Each structure stands twice: as structure tokens, then as C-alpha cells.
Amino acid sequence: AQSVTQLDSHVSVSEGTPVLLRCNYSSSYSPSLFWYVQHPNKGLQLLLKYTSAATLVKGINGFEAEFKKSETSFHLTKPSAHMSDAAEYFCVVSDQGGANNLFFGTGTRLTVIP
Amino acid sequence: DAGITQSPRYKITETGRQVTLMCHQTWSHSYMFWYRQDLGHGLRLIYYSAAADITDKGEVPDGYVVSRSKTENFPLTLESATRSQTSVYFCASSLLGTYNEQFFGPGTRLTVL
């Protein structure tokens, strides 16, 4: 069985401070992991993905995530938040391929305070 | 270079009516997907298609019908709309499948009264 848990439904940070969005997964295999961002009234956009290459993955807009197999985690970070980062973020796990083995977390809403 | 488009963007209908949501992509991606997004559930897969004329059920297919006669189009039909189908619907496409990036449309907000 597999699942993905986003540990915080809402995170609030001040502009210029670090961002940490937490994601834990369970998988019986070596999964592919993704982070997507959704701005208001928009579709989802890929931030980054892990597919068993380097464990530290760099994405767009200064975001990165580290795959930690021992902790079954794939947390998303950014050193310095920008106002434009305010959005909903989804952690997604794909296990064994196939559309029915793709699971979305329930999302973390990031608020950036000026 | 429209990418992936959905129409309509907003739709209000009544219980029992048939509604079709359209999805069109210009990349010739093999895979296409329909999701619904509801508070507290993230995105849930309704149906997907690996190629023209090949479709399969996702997590929540009941009450929905899809077809894919052409690679670029993947319409989703609610045969008899119910209030529980009020949601935001997203179409997505992917070149090779779920190990690869999915590209999402802007969504259709459907309200069933």
C-alpha cells in the first residue's frame, strides 16, 4: 500500500525567511516523487521531481527537495520566501507507474507575510 | 501554442442534467487524465487514457463517462449530474505516463444545484 501525507495544511512565513513544506510517503517500491504548485484559479505546475537519481533535487523558482529513504520523506524547501510563492503545494508519489498508482497529498497552503 | 485547454471554465447546472467538460491538448501527448479537486481530498483521479481509444477507471469513476476518439481530445461527461459532483475538474496530459511530468489545464469549476 502506498500513501502520501503532507504534515501541514497551512504554513505561514515572512518574506525573506526559509520555507519548509513537509511530505512523508509510504511505498513498497522505489517511488517517483513530485512537488506541484497551484496558484489561485490555476492548474498545477511541476516544481520538481525525484526519479532515483540524485537525492537532492533542484526545481524551479529556487525550490529544492531531498529524498530521504530512511525517513520516507521528501520535504520541500526554499532559502528565502518571496511573495509570489504564496500558493497551494502538492506532494505526489508514483509507485510502479500506472495512473492508478499516482497519489496526491491533500496540499499545503503557503502564506507569505510581507 | 495553447498547450492544454479546458472548456467551459465555469458551469452551473441542475441535478439530473447531462454535462460534458472538454479537454484539448496540442502536444500529442499519449496520456490524458481527469481529476476532481475537493477540499480535504487533494486531487482524485476519475479516468485516464493511455492512447486514443484506450481508457480506464481511476479512483472515483462512478457517474462519469469518457471517450478518446482523437489523441488531442478527452471529454468527460456527467450523465446525470448530482450535487456531490460539484467540484473543480482538472484535465492533464503526459508524454509517457505517470513517471513523467503531467501538464494541467486551468480547470473547470462545476456547480450542480
Side-chain angles (χ1 to χ4, degrees), chain A residues 6-50:
Chain A
Q6 292 184 241
L7 298 164
D8 306 292
S9 59
H10 188 203
V11 170
S12 185
V13 301
S14 296
E15 189 175 18
T17 64
V19 176
L20 171 63
L21 306 183
R22 298 182 293 166
C23 174
N24 285 99
Y25 70 92
S26 63
S27 174
S28 304
Y29 301 87
S30 295
S32 293
L33 295 159
F34 307 79
W35 275 100
Y36 283 84
V37 60
Q38 183 182 28
H39 288 94
N41 299 314
K42 302 284 188 183
L44 280 69
Q45 178 188 13
L46 182 71
L47 274 179
L48 50 81
K49 66 178 181 181
Y50 166 78

Side-chain angles (χ1 to χ4, degrees), chain A residues 32 36 38 43 96-98 100 102, chain B residues 37 57-58 90 98-99 102 105:
Chain A
S32 293
Y36 283 84
Q38 183 182 28
Q96 303 184 71
N100 277 308
L102 186 71
Chain B
Q37 184 178 31
K57 296 178 180 179
F90 287 99
T98 55
Y99 280 127
Q102 291 190 43

Side-chain angles (χ1 to χ4, degrees), chain B:
Chain B
D1 62 345
I4 183 164
T5 57
Q6 293 183 236
S7 61
R9 293 293 314 277
Y10 302 89
K11 177 73 176 179
I12 299 174
T13 192
E14 295 177 338
T15 301
R17 291 190 179 270
Q18 179 174 298
V19 177
T20 295
L21 310 184
M22 304 301 293
C23 179
H24 176 77
Q25 53 108 350
T26 60
W27 296 304
S28 298
H29 284 173
S30 297
Y31 282 78
M32 295 188 75
F33 310 83
W34 274 107
Y35 296 92
R36 60 178 290 172
Q37 184 178 31
D38 304 289
L39 278 174
H41 288 281
L43 270 72
R44 292 182 290 175
L45 182 66
I46 304 170
Y47 270 95
Y48 68 100
S49 168
D53 297 322
I54 301 175
T55 63
D56 208 346
K57 296 178 180 179
E59 181 186 355
V60 290
D62 293 343
Y64 303 96
V65 174
V66 294
S67 62
R68 196 167 176 206
S69 58
K70 294 184 177 181
T71 299
E72 61 267 30
N73 296 323
F74 190 40
L76 175 73
T77 297
L78 288 66
E79 292 190 299
S80 178
T82 65
R83 289 195 181 89
S84 65
Q85 293 177 309
T86 293
S87 186
V88 181
Y89 292 85
F90 287 99
C91 178
S93 71
S94 175
L95 180 60
L96 295 175
T98 55
Y99 280 127
N100 300 103
E101 176 181 4
Q102 291 190 43
F103 294 85
F104 285 80
T108 294
R109 184 175 295 275
L110 176 68
T111 301
V112 183
L113 302 176

